[in-house]
Amino acid sequence: MDKLDIIIPFKWKGAKSRLSNIMTLEEREEFALKMLYDVLTTLEELHKDEYSNLQRRFRDINISILTTTNDLPDFIYKRFEIIINTKKLNEALNEIISIKSSKNNPLLILMSDLPLINVTVVQEIIDRKEDIVITPGRKGGTNILFIKNPSKFKVDYYGISFKNHEKIAIDNGLSYHLYDSLLAGTDIDEKEDLLDLLVFGDGESKKYLEKLGFMAVSKGEKITLMRE
Amino acid sequence: MDKLDIIIPFKWKGAKSRLSNIMTLEEREEFALKMLYDVLTTLEELHKDEYSNLQRRFRDINISILTTTNDLPDFIYKRFEIIINTKKLNEALNEIISIKSSKNNPLLILMSDLPLINVTVVQEIIDRKEDIVITPGRKGGTNILFIKNPSKFKVDYYGISFKNHEKIAIDNGLSYHLYDSLLAGTDIDEKEDLLDLLVFGDGESKKYLEKLGFMAVSKGEKITLMRE
């Protein structure tokens, strides 16, 4: 096992529609980019010397952005592989899995709206011994999925998808682990999630929220989101 | 180190007021009890033989419920120590810490609205080597706090309290760890949290929600809470 493929599905145009009650379209698209930037920054740390354990396991890490348009900012376009696929998420990913599975490299599928992840989280996931590592998100989504042998697996991201992925692992006779992390389990989709980014974040997406005037305010026991 | 004190603050009368838009007072109080029951059930598993590592570290585990009234159901009253203190949370806990600190046993403060915790979570926390282990909850609360030496620590649960506890550790020259767990980070306070209990839970509090007619329904990418 010497190469790790990382795929990051990314929606830019019209991104984060569930935040449209508190952000304009331009703000949402910029915010989605900042979150992707934070995720990529964390993943690039995996290459650094201090994470030598990882370097031993994976000589090479290849990061690809899966998206529907080739109109992406330079910082992405120039540094990462871009996979353009206009199909729906499951179909696009399963197509990639089919292609990748011939090489049989492990595959890590990681969502772009996880600005709270850190190197420890990613390293712990890829260091697991099981065939499949599922990192559930709030309300039952799958935020990070590690597939050691892509030839035996298909994804299904609809509904309570961590349970779908559990079932697919069982049906294919694969061992699996549910990786329990608040930081990796917090995907930023709705107004309430912004609070967690403000409270736990320290990257560009948090700074962008602050620039827009968002802040976490304590009222007695309760923490609420305010905008200046 | 042979004895572990576990303190569970528990509010019964008028509990879970932030759920009053979707549950009656009686339902909320019953729900709070069911969550406490799930927490206690998990903690009682710590005594079992298969968790021999823990048994070696702590010969004895003493579980106390901190509450404001002695009018509690039998299943609690008969099996656990009850500490009645009508002061506010910080004052009551710091009073207990003062009393306990003479014996210098490690102290685990664990909230009663954490029905998703499991034995692995609790064991990993008390197995940590640091002086203080802080388990943040969503929006920055402190859901579980492990204090190896209570004579050197005070609690401060208001506001973004995991940061308060980080600062108190630093100010007292204590090492600390932030324990990252979605299951332990999910305290059940608001309507949206019920979804996580329905999706990830398997105890009495989840069954009670189902009995009340609550369910998690997939609508495309979104999961929403419905009541029959």
Side-chain angles (χ1 to χ4, degrees):
Chain A
M1 211 184 284
D2 56 2
K3 191 182 168 191
L4 173 66
D5 276 312
I6 302 181
I7 308 281
I8 305 173
F10 177 61
K11 183 184 178 182
W12 191 25
K13 296 298 170 193
K16 295 290 143 199
S17 57
R18 279 146 71 187
L19 291 172
S20 55
N21 53 339
I22 48 166
M23 282 188 194
T24 67
L25 175 64
E26 290 69 28
E27 288 168 352
R28 285 188 280 124
E29 290 178 349
E30 185 65 20
F31 181 53
L33 267 185
K34 299 284 187 193
M35 291 201 287
L36 174 63
Y37 180 88
D38 286 342
V39 166
L40 291 170
T41 302
T42 295
L43 293 177
E44 288 198 309
E45 282 182 51
L46 288 173
H47 289 287
K48 287 188 187 163
D49 277 352
E50 62 240 60
Y51 303 104
S52 54
N53 180 36
L54 186 90
Q55 287 201 317
R56 274 202 303 277
R57 279 203 64 193
F58 296 105
R59 193 172 37 81
D60 192 14
I61 295 176
N62 183 53
I63 300 175
S64 310
I65 315 290
L66 168 63
T67 187
T68 54
T69 164
N70 64 1
D71 178 24
L72 286 169
D74 273 2
F75 86 87
I76 301 173
Y77 222 91
K78 289 189 175 158
R79 278 160 57 197
F80 302 97
E81 188 181 319
I82 311 293
I83 304 173
I84 296 172
N85 190 318
T86 55
K87 293 187 180 153
K88 288 190 171 178
L89 185 64
N90 286 341
E91 286 70 29
L93 283 171
N94 284 328
E95 221 167 77
I96 293 169
I97 288 174
S98 292
I99 296 163
K100 298 273 182 194
S101 66
S102 64
K103 291 183 189 158
N104 227 8
N105 294 321
L107 183 66
L108 187 75
I109 302 170
L110 198 146
M111 296 299 151
S112 63
D113 58 355
L114 303 175
L116 299 179
I117 59 163
N118 57 36
V119 179
T120 305
V121 161
V122 183
Q123 185 154 9
E124 283 184 357
I125 290 170
I126 61 183
D127 281 349
R128 295 289 315 184
K129 302 290 176 241
E130 292 84 359
D131 298 317
I132 303 292
V133 186
I134 304 163
T135 303
R138 287 179 180 179
K139 302 177 189 174
T142 303
N143 287 2
I144 307 179
L145 186 59
F146 183 55
I147 308 168
K148 206 160 273 176
N149 180 346
S151 70
K152 295 184 182 172
F153 201 79
K154 293 275 171 262
V155 300
D156 179 1
Y157 276 92
Y158 299 119
I160 297 172
S161 70
F162 91 90
K163 289 189 180 170
N164 304 344
H165 292 132
E166 229 178 358
K167 186 172 183 304
I168 295 166
I170 293 167
D171 290 349
N172 288 285
L174 300 170
S175 62
Y176 70 93
H177 175 73
L178 296 180
Y179 183 76
D180 175 24
S181 164
L182 182 66
L183 297 175
T186 302
D187 45 318
I188 310 294
D189 285 317
E190 299 176 2
K191 185 183 164 187
E192 292 287 296
D193 304 329
L194 300 185
L195 271 173
D196 290 297
L197 179 51
L198 288 168
V199 166
F200 293 107
D202 63 357
E204 292 303 312
S205 53
K206 180 200 177 170
K207 283 183 200 145
Y208 183 67
L209 283 188
E210 289 173 336
K211 192 181 144 201
L212 293 180
F214 288 103
M215 53 193 161
V217 178
S218 306
K219 286 186 181 177
E221 281 179 50
K222 205 178 167 182
I223 310 288
T224 52
L225 185 74
M226 302 271 285
R227 189 170 183 175
E228 271 171 351
Chain B
M1 215 182 280
D2 56 0
K3 191 183 167 191
L4 173 66
D5 276 312
I6 302 181
I7 309 281
I8 306 173
F10 176 61
K11 184 184 178 185
W12 190 26
K13 296 297 168 193
K16 295 289 144 200
S17 57
R18 280 145 71 187
L19 292 172
S20 54
N21 52 339
I22 48 166
M23 282 189 196
T24 67
L25 175 64
E26 291 68 30
E27 287 168 352
R28 286 188 277 123
E29 291 178 349
E30 185 66 18
F31 180 53
L33 268 185
K34 298 284 188 195
M35 291 200 287
L36 175 63
Y37 180 87
D38 285 342
V39 166
L40 291 169
T41 302
T42 296
L43 294 176
E44 288 197 309
E45 282 182 51
L46 287 173
H47 289 286
K48 287 187 188 164
D49 277 351
E50 62 241 62
Y51 304 104
S52 54
N53 179 36
L54 186 90
Q55 287 201 317
R56 276 203 302 279
R57 278 202 65 194
F58 296 105
R59 193 172 39 82
D60 193 14
I61 295 176
N62 182 50
I63 300 175
S64 310
I65 315 291
L66 167 63
T67 186
T68 55
T69 164
N70 65 0
D71 179 24
L72 286 168
D74 273 1
F75 85 88
I76 301 172
Y77 221 91
K78 288 188 175 160
R79 278 159 57 197
F80 302 97
E81 188 182 317
I82 312 292
I83 303 174
I84 296 172
N85 190 318
T86 55
K87 293 186 181 155
K88 288 188 172 181
L89 186 63
N90 287 340
E91 287 69 30
L93 283 171
N94 285 328
E95 221 167 78
I96 293 169
I97 289 174
S98 293
I99 296 163
K100 298 273 182 194
S101 65
S102 65
K103 291 184 189 158
N104 226 11
N105 294 320
L107 183 65
L108 187 75
I109 301 169
L110 199 146
M111 295 300 152
S112 62
D113 59 355
L114 303 175
L116 299 179
I117 59 164
N118 56 36
V119 178
T120 305
V121 161
V122 183
Q123 184 155 7
E124 283 183 357
I125 290 170
I126 60 184
D127 281 349
R128 294 288 316 184
K129 302 290 178 240
E130 292 85 359
D131 299 316
I132 303 291
V133 185
I134 303 163
T135 303
R138 286 181 183 177
K139 302 178 189 175
T142 304
N143 287 2
I144 306 178
L145 187 60
F146 183 54
I147 308 169
K148 206 160 275 177
N149 181 346
S151 69
K152 295 185 182 170
F153 201 80
K154 292 276 171 261
V155 301
D156 179 1
Y157 276 92
Y158 298 119
I160 298 171
S161 69
F162 91 90
K163 289 190 180 169
N164 305 343
H165 293 131
E166 233 178 356
K167 186 170 184 306
I168 295 166
I170 293 167
D171 290 349
N172 288 285
L174 300 171
S175 63
Y176 70 93
H177 174 74
L178 296 180
Y179 182 76
D180 175 23
S181 164
L182 181 66
L183 297 175
T186 303
D187 45 318
I188 309 295
D189 285 317
E190 298 176 2
K191 185 184 165 186
E192 292 289 295
D193 304 329
L194 299 186
L195 272 173
D196 290 297
L197 179 50
L198 287 168
V199 166
F200 294 107
D202 64 357
E204 291 303 312
S205 53
K206 179 199 179 173
K207 283 183 201 146
Y208 183 67
L209 283 187
E210 289 174 336
K211 193 182 142 199
L212 292 180
F214 288 103
M215 51 194 164
V217 178
S218 306
K219 286 185 181 178
E221 282 180 51
K222 207 178 166 183
I223 309 286
T224 53
L225 185 74
M226 302 271 285
R227 189 169 184 177
E228 271 171 351

